[in-house]
Amino acid sequence: MAPPLPRPPVALTIAGSDPSGGAGVQADLKTFSALGAYGTSVLTALTAQSTRGVTRVHDVPVAVVRAQVETLVADVRIDVVKVGMLASRALVETVHELLSHGALGDVPVVLDPVMVSTSGSRLLAEGAVAAVRELLPRADVITPNVPEAAVLLDEPVAGSPDELADQARRLRELGARRVLAKGGHLAGDASVDIWLDGSDPLPLKAPRITTGATHGTGCTLSSAIAALRPRHPEWLPAVIEAKAWLTEALRHGEALDIGRGPGPVHHFHEHERWRAPVGG
């Protein structure tokens, strides 16, 4: 890892809330803290959610989202932005505008095109997909999983790393600058993500962790990339370090024993205080 910065990088998450703490803004802020970034947040949606699913979504009015961003950036210098759940077309368009002008116009952006939760609940209105496609060129990195890549391209779901690499190329053709197509949904002993920052896709392999603690995995990985980017001169080293950190967060997730559905990954697996047994 690179030497410490004079001050911690300031990361902003623009995303929805998860009361269970495993995904959304809550997971993003934990990830920022675990990886040495100072976290700030703007809420786009309130969800009634647990590890077992989402029962209700309330979109934050776009005027309130705008006010959150404008009030924050008038005071705090933001070094990197992670964008997550944008439930409606109006929210996508508003965030797109905010990221394209003013204080955030030149800030690096990681876009996680959240569409469906780990438990299978839809988190993006069907009419908003076109607006997300229009947002792609503003993001420095997009991190779709296998189903999300298919939706963005309006194509069948990829069934192999080669097919996923082809879809990563087509996402570049849609305007995405860099693509990390996450292959966790594909079969195989290893998890293979596809990194594309140029003409040749780069497979990034990681051990496939057998665990029930997968809630918020996508939110966490995109936030980790954002948190680590200010500490690296290029995107790929930040992606590689983020993937290695997430692998260990997955490996330790079940130790938390949170909820009765897919539990969260362990964002603080590297910290001694979290390793002691309850009451120990």
Side-chain angles (χ1 to χ4, degrees):
M1 183 180 292
L5 299 176
R7 66 170 181 86
V10 178
L12 166 62
T13 170
I14 303 176
S17 171
D18 171 14
S20 75
V25 163
Q26 289 83 346
D28 297 341
L29 292 174
K30 290 174 184 177
T31 301
F32 295 160
S33 294
L35 294 173
Y38 180 86
T40 61
S41 61
V42 166
L43 288 178
T44 60
L46 306 178
T47 70
Q49 181 176 180
S50 70
T51 63
R52 295 192 291 180
V54 180
T55 60
R56 189 166 182 178
V57 175
H58 173 72
D59 295 353
V60 175
V62 293
V64 178
V65 172
R66 180 183 298 278
Q68 289 180 79
V69 172
E70 291 177 346
T71 302
L72 173 66
V73 300
D75 177 50
V76 178
R77 189 178 76 188
I78 304 299
D79 295 304
V80 66
V81 177
K82 174 263 172 81
V83 178
M85 178 184 177
L86 302 174
S88 69
R89 182 180 184 92
L91 281 168
V92 177
E93 291 175 343
T94 298
V95 170
H96 191 173
E97 178 189 348
L98 290 165
L99 292 175
S100 300
H101 306 286
L104 294 179
D106 295 322
V107 176
V109 174
V110 178
L111 170 63
D112 182 21
V114 176
M115 297 178 182
V116 179
S117 70
T118 301
S119 62
S121 302
R122 189 171 184 91
L123 299 174
L124 179 72
E126 291 189 14
V129 175
V132 174
R133 293 189 189 110
E134 294 170 3
L135 178 58
L136 298 183
R138 174 58 187 94
D140 292 85
V141 178
I142 66 169
T143 62
N145 60 27
V146 171
E148 290 162 349
V151 171
L152 286 170
L153 292 166
D154 194 20
E155 294 181 359
V157 171
S160 69
D162 286 344
E163 291 180 2
L164 189 60
D166 287 339
Q167 290 193 337
R169 291 189 186 95
R170 285 191 286 280
L171 287 168
R172 282 288 302 273
E173 292 170 1
L174 281 181
R177 303 182 197 177
R178 300 169 187 85
V179 180
L180 179 67
K182 299 175 295 189
H185 289 78
L186 300 176
D189 295 333
S191 175
V192 182
D193 297 342
I194 303 297
W195 172 252
L196 185 58
D197 181 10
S199 58
D200 297 321
L202 175 65
L204 299 177
K205 295 183 179 181
R208 187 177 295 278
I209 307 300
T210 302
T211 177
T214 57
H215 184 57
T217 305
C219 302
T220 297
L221 178 59
S222 55
S223 296
I225 295 169
L228 291 167
R229 176 60 179 91
R231 301 180 182 277
H232 291 282
E234 302 292 341
W235 282 102
L236 182 56
V239 169
I240 291 172
E241 184 177 347
K243 280 177 55 62
W245 176 83
L246 176 62
T247 295
E248 294 307 307
L250 281 162
R251 195 187 308 278
H252 292 86
E254 289 186 345
L256 292 173
D257 192 21
I258 302 295
R260 288 178 285 178
V265 305
H266 198 329
H267 298 89
F268 297 107
H269 61 274
E270 295 178 329
H271 296 261
E272 287 290 342
R273 184 182 292 274
W274 282 84
R275 296 178 189 171
V278 175

